[in-house]
């Protein structure tokens, strides 16, 4: 499992409080509203990694936003 980048963690922090499946659903819900192509790509990378991991692996991810 590839680790998440700082940018990916920061994106996930926007959706903190969700379980893995909830976070995937919420990110996919906002993708059509994102106008920046780089952010759309980042959101796709995040959902792909989240879909590839288990709930147990997700529980180990530290969602601490970088400054």
């Amino acid at each position: 499992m590839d680790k998440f980048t700082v940018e990916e963690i920061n994106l996930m922090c926007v959706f903190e409080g969700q379980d893995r499946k909830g976070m995937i659903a919420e990110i996919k819900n906002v993708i059509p509203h994102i106008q920046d192509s780089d952010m759309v790509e980042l959101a796709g990378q995040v959902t792909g990694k989240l879909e590839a991991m288990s709930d147990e692996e997700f529980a180990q991810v530290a969602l601490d936003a970088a400054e």
Side-chain angles (χ1 to χ4, degrees):
M1 172 80 235
D2 291 334
K3 293 185 178 184
F4 291 99
T5 66
V6 170
E7 293 82 10
E8 291 168 341
I9 290 289
N10 285 343
L11 177 68
M12 292 191 314
C13 285
V14 173
F15 302 96
E16 189 172 12
Q18 300 283 330
D19 61 10
R20 182 181 64 86
K21 290 179 183 175
M23 186 177 288
I24 293 167
E26 286 298 316
I27 293 172
K28 286 184 174 183
N29 283 339
V30 300
I31 287 175
H33 305 286
I34 300 172
Q35 296 182 2
D36 182 277
S37 61
D38 290 336
M39 287 300 294
V40 171
E41 182 180 341
L42 180 67
Q45 291 170 351
V46 169
T47 56
K49 288 182 180 182
L50 289 171
E51 289 171 336
M53 66 183 352
S54 68
D55 290 333
E56 292 77 20
E57 290 170 317
F58 177 72
Q60 301 297 317
V61 176
L63 293 178
D64 298 322
E67 304 264 337

